[in-house]
Amino acid sequence: MTDFTYVVGTDGVATITWDVPGKSMNVMSLAGFAELSGFVDQALADAGVKGVVITSGKKDFAGGMDLNVIAKMKDDAGAEPARGLFEGVMAMHGILRKIERAGMDPKTLKGGKPIAAALPGTALGIGLELPLACHRIFAADNPKAKIGLPEIMVGIFPGAGGTTRLSRKLGAMAAAPFLLEGKLSDPKAAKAAGIIDEVVADPVAAARAWVLSATDADLVKPWDAKGYKMPGGAPYHPAGFMTFVGASAMVHGKTMGVYPAAKALLAAVYEGALVPFDTALKIEARWFTNVMMNPSSGAMIRSLFINKEALEKGANRPRVPDQSVQKLGVLGAGMMGAGIAYVAAQAGISVVLIDASQEAADKGKGYSEALLEKSVQRRKLSEEKKADVLGRITATTDYAVLEGCDLVVEAVFEDVGVKAGVTAKAEAVIPSSAVFATNTSTLPISHLAKASMRPEQFIGIHFFSPVDKMALVEIIRGKQTGDVAVAKALDFVRQIRKTPIVVNDARFFYANRCIIPYINEGIRMVAEGVNPVLIENAAKLVGMPLGPLQLVDETSIDLGVKIAKATKAAMGAEYPDGAVDEVLFWMADEGRLGKKANAGFYAYDPAGKRAGLWEGLAARYPEATEQPALGEVQHRLLFAQVLEAVRALEEGVLTDIREGDVGAILGWGFAPWSGGPFAWLDIIGAPRAVEICEGLEAAHGARFAAPALLREMAAKGQNFYGRFTAAKAA
Ligand code: NAD
């Protein structure tokens, strides 16, 4: 294998070039690490080599550790995985520490060879941890380059010395945003923060020149020098004490204690700061092992990275030729239509934005203008680029302008008749090969397709609000939808850089189907006299971004009423939600329509800020004297969602559990630490899940009955990823 190459120049500088074959971005593997180590040994042993420059043969330095390797680390770590993991991580530390000490005498700190990192572009994760172990970091003046340690975003933390080195280099307080939030910077900002040393036009040339002129003193890291003190103070320093107390509270406030990596990171920094550097690395390795042993980290990496990327790359795309969108029609320039037009124009697609009046169409385009202007104000966008994007949107009432559109997305009122009208008008103009999509959130696609002349080219493309922020797009296949339409929708989602899932047509599709029971369970508990504060906090303490009552306030009570009425009409006698409707309809009658009305389950101040739960709730639904345990409330809220996901899988609405997990986290924020509903059920195991269902069913009713699939899996000793990954591969 040749991930690295080694060349010694006539000037005595050895260049180690990282260039993983067949990949556009370097990622580190265990074999790559061994190769790097061998070249470092070679350079240190060769008397003719004066120093080393480590650089990349690609436009970027590196994207990080190969997450596929990390995901498998635990399984590959042998009979005693914790020991195997720890030893593997320590071996990595050994290599990086060898670079850092560079052959110097451990007592006098003299005689080492200078090793500099030259970063042509992006340097993330191990791609920054390796440079941090070098003696000086030079980065190209490339504003597009991203520099940072984003590990925390996928449920781990920088475990190859990045945590220990960065906190010692910058101080715990200054390092916090980079370690705890995974903040990325461009090279100039990274230099200003003290992460890298120099931003230059030609980093390799600058690194070479530095290597040739470096003195013994230049190679000694502050933490290896006598009298090192952590910037900002170590934990027992008065200022440091304040930092750590504050950070601990902040981390807990943000993570609610459910993300093991954030806690472990903080512990590694705190404990590491009390001991010498090499012991700190050992502590970092122990905490890293602890996080890797927690099933949450593997589940997060699998859903938030590996499977998300697989879906974005078209894991479930039918094999038909490229269907990239050239000209998009958007019907309805309201909240959703305006957002769809914006993301499409941003992606370089020409957009025709239609509404019933010119004023409404212009207002929809105005939404893009306002967002773009904000970017200009923040100096993130030039006036020219803004004009470019806006120039791609034609706001009109004239359907004739839709001529030549290869995709139309309809986002008019949620009304079958109105939707049928615009479908017919658009199809009269667009090419016969064009695909027509609806952004409906509640109406069955197969029913709406009846208004289409070409139902095989009719599909659901369901966006989430706000369109420019939400990463998920749910693509819904109607009964007659053909493969080309699915590919078209997937290619469009790829163009606008969002993550797709493809589901079959059924009431509320997938995301709304699961989130509605969550909201309803919360409301049901209010009716039972469960303290609303307990309901909301139970949700947050289990990692839901919003409690069910806050969520319904945000989406609005009248929308809830509308959905409840429509569902009841459709389901007739099978409709289960009398208790929920009583609360919901009463709230609507009271004019408490949610956040938009400044009055809902929460009270709001005149500026629209939440000011605690509304007191009127307790007057109507007095608190029961006996309150349920926190765990019981959490199980109700989680099982309301995950059982619906399992049923969606049983019924064939979902055809891929990866989509079920990724869609849940990106679509409605399902406890990301769990990796999604199926990943979570795998963590607790089917037998335990069935047992919890039985308890909940006995206490609260048949909605918690364990689905047959779950029972079968419990009986057979199966888990979802085992069963369904094997089925996919077969
Ligand atoms: P909206 O009321 O903000 O916008 C609808 C727009 O359609 C209005 O500007 C209206 O003037 C226009 N319109 C109505 N009839 C028209 C016609 N015959 N021809 C042209 N334009 C017409 O609604 P919205 O929130 O943007 O929702 C639009 C669609 O998206 C609905 O189907 C809704 O269910 C769905 N949706 C909404 C959300 C959400 O969070 N709001 C999320 C996903 C999907």
Side-chain angles (χ1 to χ4, degrees), residues 404-423:
C405 283
D406 49 325
L407 175 69
V408 172
V409 179
E410 158 290 290
V412 298
F413 297 140
E414 189 76 338
D415 179 285
V416 177
V418 178
K419 288 193 187 291
V422 300
T423 307

PDB file of all heavy atoms in Angstrom, residues 404-423:
ATOM      1  N   GLY A 404     -40.372  24.125 -20.817  1.00  0.00           N
ATOM      2  CA  GLY A 404     -38.982  23.667 -20.729  1.00  0.00           C
ATOM      3  C   GLY A 404     -38.562  23.211 -19.340  1.00  0.00           C
ATOM      4  O   GLY A 404     -37.443  22.740 -19.157  1.00  0.00           O
ATOM      5  N   CYS A 405     -39.447  23.359 -18.344  1.00  0.00           N
ATOM      6  CA  CYS A 405     -39.079  22.884 -16.998  1.00  0.00           C
ATOM      7  C   CYS A 405     -39.006  21.355 -17.007  1.00  0.00           C
ATOM      8  O   CYS A 405     -39.920  20.689 -17.487  1.00  0.00           O
ATOM      9  CB  CYS A 405     -40.119  23.300 -15.959  1.00  0.00           C
ATOM     10  SG  CYS A 405     -39.981  25.023 -15.477  1.00  0.00           S
ATOM     11  N   ASP A 406     -37.941  20.807 -16.474  1.00  0.00           N
ATOM     12  CA  ASP A 406     -37.871  19.338 -16.418  1.00  0.00           C
ATOM     13  C   ASP A 406     -38.358  18.789 -15.081  1.00  0.00           C
ATOM     14  O   ASP A 406     -38.550  17.585 -14.926  1.00  0.00           O
ATOM     15  CB  ASP A 406     -36.467  18.833 -16.762  1.00  0.00           C
ATOM     16  CG  ASP A 406     -35.367  19.536 -16.005  1.00  0.00           C
ATOM     17  OD1 ASP A 406     -35.509  20.753 -15.756  1.00  0.00           O
ATOM     18  OD2 ASP A 406     -34.387  18.883 -15.639  1.00  0.00           O
ATOM     19  N   LEU A 407     -38.532  19.691 -14.105  1.00  0.00           N
ATOM     20  CA  LEU A 407     -39.151  19.287 -12.830  1.00  0.00           C
ATOM     21  C   LEU A 407     -40.011  20.438 -12.330  1.00  0.00           C
ATOM     22  O   LEU A 407     -39.617  21.607 -12.415  1.00  0.00           O
ATOM     23  CB  LEU A 407     -38.073  18.965 -11.775  1.00  0.00           C
ATOM     24  CG  LEU A 407     -38.599  18.649 -10.362  1.00  0.00           C
ATOM     25  CD1 LEU A 407     -39.352  17.323 -10.321  1.00  0.00           C
ATOM     26  CD2 LEU A 407     -37.454  18.605  -9.331  1.00  0.00           C
ATOM     27  N   VAL A 408     -41.195  20.104 -11.842  1.00  0.00           N
ATOM     28  CA  VAL A 408     -42.051  21.103 -11.187  1.00  0.00           C
ATOM     29  C   VAL A 408     -42.344  20.609  -9.778  1.00  0.00           C
ATOM     30  O   VAL A 408     -42.650  19.434  -9.583  1.00  0.00           O
ATOM     31  CB  VAL A 408     -43.378  21.296 -11.959  1.00  0.00           C
ATOM     32  CG1 VAL A 408     -44.341  22.176 -11.165  1.00  0.00           C
ATOM     33  CG2 VAL A 408     -43.122  21.899 -13.336  1.00  0.00           C
ATOM     34  N   VAL A 409     -42.181  21.510  -8.795  1.00  0.00           N
ATOM     35  CA  VAL A 409     -42.565  21.154  -7.422  1.00  0.00           C
ATOM     36  C   VAL A 409     -43.722  22.055  -7.034  1.00  0.00           C
ATOM     37  O   VAL A 409     -43.631  23.282  -7.117  1.00  0.00           O
ATOM     38  CB  VAL A 409     -41.398  21.347  -6.425  1.00  0.00           C
ATOM     39  CG1 VAL A 409     -41.854  20.984  -5.017  1.00  0.00           C
ATOM     40  CG2 VAL A 409     -40.195  20.507  -6.820  1.00  0.00           C
ATOM     41  N   GLU A 410     -44.798  21.446  -6.615  1.00  0.00           N
ATOM     42  CA  GLU A 410     -45.988  22.198  -6.255  1.00  0.00           C
ATOM     43  C   GLU A 410     -46.031  22.385  -4.745  1.00  0.00           C
ATOM     44  O   GLU A 410     -45.829  21.422  -3.981  1.00  0.00           O
ATOM     45  CB  GLU A 410     -47.168  21.412  -6.829  1.00  0.00           C
ATOM     46  CG  GLU A 410     -48.529  21.591  -6.270  1.00  0.00           C
ATOM     47  CD  GLU A 410     -48.729  21.045  -4.889  1.00  0.00           C
ATOM     48  OE1 GLU A 410     -48.739  19.828  -4.686  1.00  0.00           O
ATOM     49  OE2 GLU A 410     -48.899  21.893  -4.005  1.00  0.00           O
ATOM     50  N   ALA A 411     -46.200  23.655  -4.298  1.00  0.00           N
ATOM     51  CA  ALA A 411     -46.303  23.942  -2.857  1.00  0.00           C
ATOM     52  C   ALA A 411     -47.413  24.964  -2.627  1.00  0.00           C
ATOM     53  O   ALA A 411     -47.234  25.978  -1.975  1.00  0.00           O
ATOM     54  CB  ALA A 411     -44.976  24.449  -2.317  1.00  0.00           C
ATOM     55  N   VAL A 412     -48.578  24.688  -3.240  1.00  0.00           N
ATOM     56  CA  VAL A 412     -49.732  25.579  -3.046  1.00  0.00           C
ATOM     57  C   VAL A 412     -50.496  25.110  -1.804  1.00  0.00           C
ATOM     58  O   VAL A 412     -50.028  24.246  -1.070  1.00  0.00           O
ATOM     59  CB  VAL A 412     -50.645  25.622  -4.295  1.00  0.00           C
ATOM     60  CG1 VAL A 412     -49.889  26.173  -5.505  1.00  0.00           C
ATOM     61  CG2 VAL A 412     -51.217  24.251  -4.621  1.00  0.00           C
ATOM     62  N   PHE A 413     -51.679  25.691  -1.571  1.00  0.00           N
ATOM     63  CA  PHE A 413     -52.430  25.343  -0.360  1.00  0.00           C
ATOM     64  C   PHE A 413     -52.662  23.832  -0.256  1.00  0.00           C
ATOM     65  O   PHE A 413     -52.782  23.143  -1.279  1.00  0.00           O
ATOM     66  CB  PHE A 413     -53.790  26.046  -0.345  1.00  0.00           C
ATOM     67  CG  PHE A 413     -53.691  27.550  -0.293  1.00  0.00           C
ATOM     68  CD1 PHE A 413     -54.556  28.343  -1.054  1.00  0.00           C
ATOM     69  CD2 PHE A 413     -52.750  28.170   0.511  1.00  0.00           C
ATOM     70  CE1 PHE A 413     -54.460  29.729  -1.001  1.00  0.00           C
ATOM     71  CE2 PHE A 413     -52.659  29.559   0.559  1.00  0.00           C
ATOM     72  CZ  PHE A 413     -53.508  30.333  -0.200  1.00  0.00           C
ATOM     73  N   GLU A 414     -52.774  23.373   0.979  1.00  0.00           N
ATOM     74  CA  GLU A 414     -52.967  21.942   1.221  1.00  0.00           C
ATOM     75  C   GLU A 414     -54.440  21.585   0.946  1.00  0.00           C
ATOM     76  O   GLU A 414     -55.245  21.399   1.867  1.00  0.00           O
ATOM     77  CB  GLU A 414     -52.575  21.629   2.683  1.00  0.00           C
ATOM     78  CG  GLU A 414     -52.512  20.173   3.032  1.00  0.00           C
ATOM     79  CD  GLU A 414     -51.279  19.441   2.502  1.00  0.00           C
ATOM     80  OE1 GLU A 414     -50.670  19.912   1.542  1.00  0.00           O
ATOM     81  OE2 GLU A 414     -50.967  18.367   3.045  1.00  0.00           O
ATOM     82  N   ASP A 415     -54.785  21.529  -0.329  1.00  0.00           N
ATOM     83  CA  ASP A 415     -56.176  21.307  -0.725  1.00  0.00           C
ATOM     84  C   ASP A 415     -56.168  20.517  -2.035  1.00  0.00           C
ATOM     85  O   ASP A 415     -55.521  20.934  -3.006  1.00  0.00           O
ATOM     86  CB  ASP A 415     -56.846  22.681  -0.917  1.00  0.00           C
ATOM     87  CG  ASP A 415     -58.286  22.561  -1.363  1.00  0.00           C
ATOM     88  OD1 ASP A 415     -58.532  22.244  -2.558  1.00  0.00           O
ATOM     89  OD2 ASP A 415     -59.177  22.790  -0.525  1.00  0.00           O
ATOM     90  N   VAL A 416     -56.883  19.395  -2.033  1.00  0.00           N
ATOM     91  CA  VAL A 416     -56.838  18.506  -3.197  1.00  0.00           C
ATOM     92  C   VAL A 416     -57.262  19.236  -4.476  1.00  0.00           C
ATOM     93  O   VAL A 416     -56.611  19.110  -5.522  1.00  0.00           O
ATOM     94  CB  VAL A 416     -57.735  17.264  -2.967  1.00  0.00           C
ATOM     95  CG1 VAL A 416     -57.738  16.376  -4.200  1.00  0.00           C
ATOM     96  CG2 VAL A 416     -57.258  16.486  -1.750  1.00  0.00           C
ATOM     97  N   GLY A 417     -58.332  20.040  -4.378  1.00  0.00           N
ATOM     98  CA  GLY A 417     -58.860  20.736  -5.557  1.00  0.00           C
ATOM     99  C   GLY A 417     -57.857  21.745  -6.095  1.00  0.00           C
ATOM    100  O   GLY A 417     -57.585  21.797  -7.305  1.00  0.00           O
ATOM    101  N   VAL A 418     -57.278  22.554  -5.193  1.00  0.00           N
ATOM    102  CA  VAL A 418     -56.299  23.567  -5.624  1.00  0.00           C
ATOM    103  C   VAL A 418     -55.092  22.864  -6.254  1.00  0.00           C
ATOM    104  O   VAL A 418     -54.594  23.268  -7.310  1.00  0.00           O
ATOM    105  CB  VAL A 418     -55.854  24.439  -4.422  1.00  0.00           C
ATOM    106  CG1 VAL A 418     -54.801  25.448  -4.872  1.00  0.00           C
ATOM    107  CG2 VAL A 418     -57.041  25.170  -3.807  1.00  0.00           C
ATOM    108  N   LYS A 419     -54.667  21.800  -5.639  1.00  0.00           N
ATOM    109  CA  LYS A 419     -53.493  21.088  -6.153  1.00  0.00           C
ATOM    110  C   LYS A 419     -53.799  20.475  -7.532  1.00  0.00           C
ATOM    111  O   LYS A 419     -52.965  20.525  -8.435  1.00  0.00           O
ATOM    112  CB  LYS A 419     -53.039  20.016  -5.151  1.00  0.00           C
ATOM    113  CG  LYS A 419     -52.374  20.636  -3.900  1.00  0.00           C
ATOM    114  CD  LYS A 419     -51.653  19.627  -3.064  1.00  0.00           C
ATOM    115  CE  LYS A 419     -51.118  20.150  -1.735  1.00  0.00           C
ATOM    116  NZ  LYS A 419     -50.007  21.091  -1.800  1.00  0.00           N
ATOM    117  N   ALA A 420     -54.999  19.904  -7.672  1.00  0.00           N
ATOM    118  CA  ALA A 420     -55.375  19.323  -8.965  1.00  0.00           C
ATOM    119  C   ALA A 420     -55.360  20.401 -10.049  1.00  0.00           C
ATOM    120  O   ALA A 420     -54.872  20.181 -11.167  1.00  0.00           O
ATOM    121  CB  ALA A 420     -56.751  18.677  -8.868  1.00  0.00           C
ATOM    122  N   GLY A 421     -55.866  21.583  -9.710  1.00  0.00           N
ATOM    123  CA  GLY A 421     -55.921  22.691 -10.676  1.00  0.00           C
ATOM    124  C   GLY A 421     -54.537  23.064 -11.181  1.00  0.00           C
ATOM    125  O   GLY A 421     -54.310  23.164 -12.397  1.00  0.00           O
ATOM    126  N   VAL A 422     -53.588  23.242 -10.252  1.00  0.00           N
ATOM    127  CA  VAL A 422     -52.256  23.686 -10.699  1.00  0.00           C
ATOM    128  C   VAL A 422     -51.508  22.556 -11.419  1.00  0.00           C
ATOM    129  O   VAL A 422     -50.697  22.817 -12.316  1.00  0.00           O
ATOM    130  CB  VAL A 422     -51.389  24.266  -9.545  1.00  0.00           C
ATOM    131  CG1 VAL A 422     -52.073  25.467  -8.918  1.00  0.00           C
ATOM    132  CG2 VAL A 422     -51.039  23.220  -8.490  1.00  0.00           C
ATOM    133  N   THR A 423     -51.814  21.314 -11.049  1.00  0.00           N
ATOM    134  CA  THR A 423     -51.166  20.184 -11.732  1.00  0.00           C
ATOM    135  C   THR A 423     -51.547  20.203 -13.217  1.00  0.00           C
ATOM    136  O   THR A 423     -50.686  20.120 -14.100  1.00  0.00           O
ATOM    137  CB  THR A 423     -51.598  18.840 -11.103  1.00  0.00           C
ATOM    138  OG1 THR A 423     -51.363  18.897  -9.698  1.00  0.00           O
ATOM    139  CG2 THR A 423     -50.842  17.657 -11.690  1.00  0.00           C
TER     140      THR A 423
END
